[in-house]
Amino acid sequence: QCLLSGSWRSDTGCRMVVSFLSKDGSFSGSYLPGPAAGGSEILTSPLEGTQQDAGLVPQPTFSFTVRWQLRETARTTAFLGQCYVGTNGEETLHALWLLREAANSPDEDWKATR
């Protein structure tokens, strides 16, 4: 059964810790990017999300947002993915993400989402 509570590590060294998972599937925790994210200016940042009921579907979908704790820039990332259970019982998360930085004007809006 795929439950997001606990600690998860990505291939790039990012770490997600889900410290609270409620019965309705909402969760919260923290996110720390790995060395590939660039620099020590990124601090451990809060995350909040929701997961499908793992009792209803064996490999539930999930989404969460990270509100980055940065000194100079406002950034938010949205993650959307699914938890898979392998034949050996190992849980794996697959996710896509969009990062949004604050733009200084509507003219710069085009380059604010990656």
Side-chain angles (χ1 to χ4, degrees), residues 43 86 103 107:
L43 306 171
D107 292 337

XYZ file of all heavy atoms in Angstrom, residues 43 86 103 107:
25
model
N 16.736 26.883 1.674
C 16.583 26.278 2.984
C 15.507 25.196 2.944
O 14.744 25.102 1.988
C 16.190 27.359 4.002
C 17.118 28.568 4.072
C 16.507 29.640 4.952
C 18.496 28.170 4.564
N 6.014 -1.843 -6.540
C 6.631 -2.853 -7.385
C 6.279 -4.258 -6.927
O 5.675 -4.464 -5.867
N 7.524 37.339 -10.933
C 7.966 38.214 -12.022
C 7.843 39.662 -11.565
O 6.977 40.002 -10.755
C 7.109 37.983 -13.262
N 5.266 41.933 -18.328
C 6.138 41.721 -19.481
C 7.143 40.592 -19.240
O 7.632 39.994 -20.197
C 6.897 42.994 -19.827
C 5.976 44.092 -20.351
O 4.880 43.762 -20.847
O 6.348 45.268 -20.231
